[in-house]
Amino acid sequence: MTLTLSVIGTGYLGAVHAASMTELGHDVIGLDVDAARIAALQEGRAPFHEPGFEEVLQRGLESGRLRFTTDYAEIARADVHFLGLGTPQRADGFGADLSHLEAAVDALAEVLPARAGARTLVVGKSTVPAGTARRLAARLEAIEGMQLMWNPEFLREGFAVRDTLSPDRLVYGVHDPVAPDAEQAVAMLDEVYARILERETPRLVMGYEAAELVKVSANAFLATKISFINAVSEMCEATGADVTDVARAIGMDDRIGSKFLRAGVGFGGGCLPKDIRAFMASAEEHGVAESLGFLREVDAVNGRRRARVVDLASEMLGDLDGRRITVLGAAFKPDSDDVRDSPALDVAGRLLAAGAQVTVTDPAALENARGRLGDLVELEQDTAVALRGAELTVLLTEWSEYRELDPTSASSLVAEPRMIDGRNVLEPQQWREAGWEIRSLGRANTVPAPRVAVPDAAAVSAEADLADVDPAVVQPALV
Ligand code: UDX
């Protein structure tokens, strides 16, 4: 059955959700208070880099089933309203800033009575602290026939359309899973997702708080997994081990799994960093701060890896003042133009603060990087031009074009063939053979001499093993 849906908030999550819902056969109106963004979307232009999104957007617009507006009155008659607003970190602390979400719910409440009597579902998709849905439901309570559900979104940037249309699972948070009116709400959301559910996608119904916690727990777990391997990486540097060997071997244990064990300069983006901080703030508000205290360490490990890149640069170049350093990558991860809390830009800023002359290159994120770094660093789209004259090259975002760089041709561009591989995607032996001095985070070659006693034979075989490492196997392609 075709439903009319509204999606309030057309950032990454909302815009992708709106366009994807037309693929499921519904009529969709996307709403945002940002008129420029709405105009771009209405013209079929993606306001961010996301593979496959523009096609879905244009298909939706051409079908006549997708449109965008800034006017709440236009969405009043929708059957289901999705809330896809951002919940960034608060300026004054670790907690989540819910002001956009709250403003949207208030604005929606103003127009909803237009449908008095009809069934209306409001579905929160934003990542929020536990307790938010119940509070928002109370604000909407007075509106007859209205129900609120919380349905967290797990999409990854770079795979957003695929993750939205083929999720691993659907999570429905309701005010009371055994209440009869919850059944009605569940049935209505099932209609929205009918084509996804036909494929036997697991659908889990639970209370609001559990649904809210599913999302933040999932992100906190992923962040912890990355920081775990990065902490091991520090041990590898201290002992002369190679973290890619360790990750590969522990990842073969099914209980651990190989995904999210890619050691390097760590996690960034608009979700993981702010979500672990908001989770800690929320635990504190609920009087169980110590339960999530370890996330402080997860955050600290992540920050230390960024600092480590700068230390390595100093070890290789000595004083960084006036030295020419090229940073490969600005986005927080490949196939994205998102620079929010990007490790690459953070490191570029630290190198700059140490006096280096920094050039940053990235296939998609330079425009956004300009907003963060201003004119302080040189931004160069063309990789070959960016490499020209570099005394040190630092790979911080593993775009395929950087993974596939040819060390021989790259060495003819740079002033000095020195490389720091901050993502462990280059084959050190191959680069060394082409004349490069290369250091990688957490790999034996990073450390001149182990700081603990290691039997000679072991040290020799650790070196020899490096030649056998196939980075494509050790570093599984982005999942
Ligand atoms: C994340 C969650 O994966 C997604 O489910 C949620 O909905 C939003 O937050 P995203 O922010 O798009 O998605 O990025 P993700 O692919 O999770 O990567 C996050 C960061 O971790 C990136 O900076 C990435 O480079 C880094 N990372 C990832 C590692 O450093 N090592 C790894 O092994 C994996």
Side-chain angles (χ1 to χ4, degrees):
M1 180 180 146
T2 301
L3 295 167
T4 302
L5 316 177
S6 90
V7 179
I8 306 174
T10 57
Y12 223 102
L13 189 169
V16 173
H17 193 71
S20 301
M21 290 302 103
T22 60
E23 297 277 301
L24 297 184
H26 302 299
D27 291 330
V28 184
I29 314 168
L31 181 144
D32 205 294
V33 292
D34 180 339
R37 178 170 281 260
I38 287 299
L41 288 165
Q42 189 60 50
E43 284 164 20
R45 281 186 287 117
F48 43 75
H49 177 92
E50 177 61 38
F53 168 63
E54 212 161 69
E55 289 82 338
V56 174
L57 173 68
Q58 288 169 2
R59 216 169 23 242
L61 291 166
E62 278 158 24
S63 72
R65 284 189 281 105
L66 177 62
R67 65 193 176 87
F68 294 90
T69 182
T70 54
D71 183 2
Y72 274 87
E74 286 193 36
I75 64 169
R77 310 220 146 261
D79 305 296
V80 181
H81 301 276
F82 286 100
L83 304 171
L85 298 114
T87 53
Q89 185 174 333
R90 292 169 64 106
D92 60 355
F94 269 12
D97 175 358
L98 302 177
S99 58
H100 303 295
L101 188 61
E102 283 163 359
V105 169
D106 288 344
L108 182 62
E110 296 267 302
V111 297
L112 277 186
R115 268 174 63 90
R119 265 193 320 148
T120 306
L121 194 59
V122 177
V123 183
K125 294 205 71 71
S126 312
T127 303
V128 293
T132 306
R134 207 164 289 281
R135 252 197 2 259
L136 294 179
R139 287 193 189 202
L140 294 167
E141 212 170 42
I143 301 165
E144 199 192 324
M146 197 294 311
Q147 278 185 282
L148 177 79
M149 291 178 78
W150 217 262
N151 167 227
E153 179 57 58
F154 303 99
L155 66 79
R156 297 158 299 168
E157 296 188 16
F159 301 88
V161 175
R162 195 174 86 189
D163 286 350
T164 303
L165 291 173
S166 308
D168 298 332
R169 73 294 204 194
L170 290 166
V171 172
Y172 292 6
V174 294
H175 74 101
D176 175 359
V178 294
D181 61 344
E183 253 172 60
Q184 286 173 9
V186 166
M188 203 159 168
L189 195 53
D190 279 353
E191 272 178 42
V192 174
Y193 293 137
R195 294 199 189 160
I196 296 176
L197 291 166
E198 268 166 20
R199 297 194 301 264
E200 299 193 358
T201 306
R203 182 265 264 153
L204 308 159
V205 180
M206 58 191 76
Y208 284 147
E209 291 75 12
E212 292 164 324
L213 283 172
V214 167
K215 177 61 203 266
V216 279
S217 310
N219 276 359
F221 189 86
L222 294 171
T224 303
K225 201 169 175 192
I226 298 167
S227 275
F228 176 82
I229 199 65
N230 281 335
V232 172
S233 190
E234 295 183 339
M235 270 303 282
C236 289
E237 288 170 11
T239 58
D242 183 326
V243 71
T244 63
D245 287 340
V246 179
R248 184 183 189 179
I250 65 174
M252 285 177 183
D253 182 330
D254 274 351
R255 294 167 304 173
I256 296 173
S258 61
K259 290 178 183 168
F260 273 65
L261 281 183
R262 298 194 313 273
V265 74
F267 59 82
C271 293
L272 263 43
K274 65 110 177 152
D275 285 351
I276 58 170
R277 293 172 197 151
F279 203 10
M280 283 188 270
S282 174
E284 200 170 337
E285 276 169 26
H286 286 92
V288 289
E290 66 280 11
S291 305
L292 298 181
F294 69 94
L295 289 177
R296 205 170 281 278
E297 197 50 42
V298 167
D299 210 4
V301 170
N302 199 49
R304 282 206 299 274
R305 290 287 78 191
R306 300 174 182 195
R308 176 70 183 141
V309 176
V310 182
D311 290 347
L312 274 177
S314 302
E315 283 173 26
M316 294 171 90
L317 290 179
D319 189 355
L320 297 181
D321 196 34
R323 307 303 290 271
R324 296 186 61 169
I325 302 181
T326 295
V327 171
L328 300 178
F332 83 103
K333 70 176 196 181
D335 296 315
S336 168
D337 64 353
D338 195 342
V339 297
R340 285 176 293 172
D341 209 337
S342 165
L345 286 198
D346 185 37
V347 170
R350 289 169 193 246
L351 293 169
L352 193 72
Q357 275 185 50
V358 182
T359 300
V360 176
T361 185
D362 189 285
L366 287 191
E367 216 30 68
N368 290 337
R370 198 181 309 280
R372 305 272 161 150
L373 293 173
D375 298 331
L376 296 172
V377 304
E378 197 167 315
L379 301 171
E380 172 54 58
Q381 183 83 39
D382 188 304
T383 312
V385 177
L387 285 174
R388 217 168 278 153
E391 295 169 86
L392 171 67
T393 306
V394 187
L395 190 162
L396 295 173
T397 312
E398 67 277 34
W399 286 94
S400 59
E401 61 186 272
Y402 306 150
R403 300 166 72 115
E404 287 155 16
L405 267 181
D406 173 44
T408 308
S409 31
S411 66
S412 67
L413 296 168
V414 296
E416 303 282 345
R418 293 192 193 95
M419 170 71 81
I420 296 175
D421 178 4
R423 291 290 183 182
N424 283 315
V425 289
L426 304 177
E427 167 51 73
Q429 195 58 26
Q430 189 195 354
W431 283 71
R432 249 178 237 125
E433 279 165 9
W436 287 72
E437 181 191 351
I438 176 167
R439 304 281 201 92
S440 320
L441 290 181
R443 300 186 84 166
N445 60 76
T446 303
V447 186
R451 277 182 245 143
V452 296
V454 174
D456 280 347
V460 169
S461 82
E463 269 305 309
D465 280 348
L466 279 178
D468 301 323
V469 174
D470 173 3
V473 176
V474 178
Q475 300 297 327
L478 271 182
V479 286

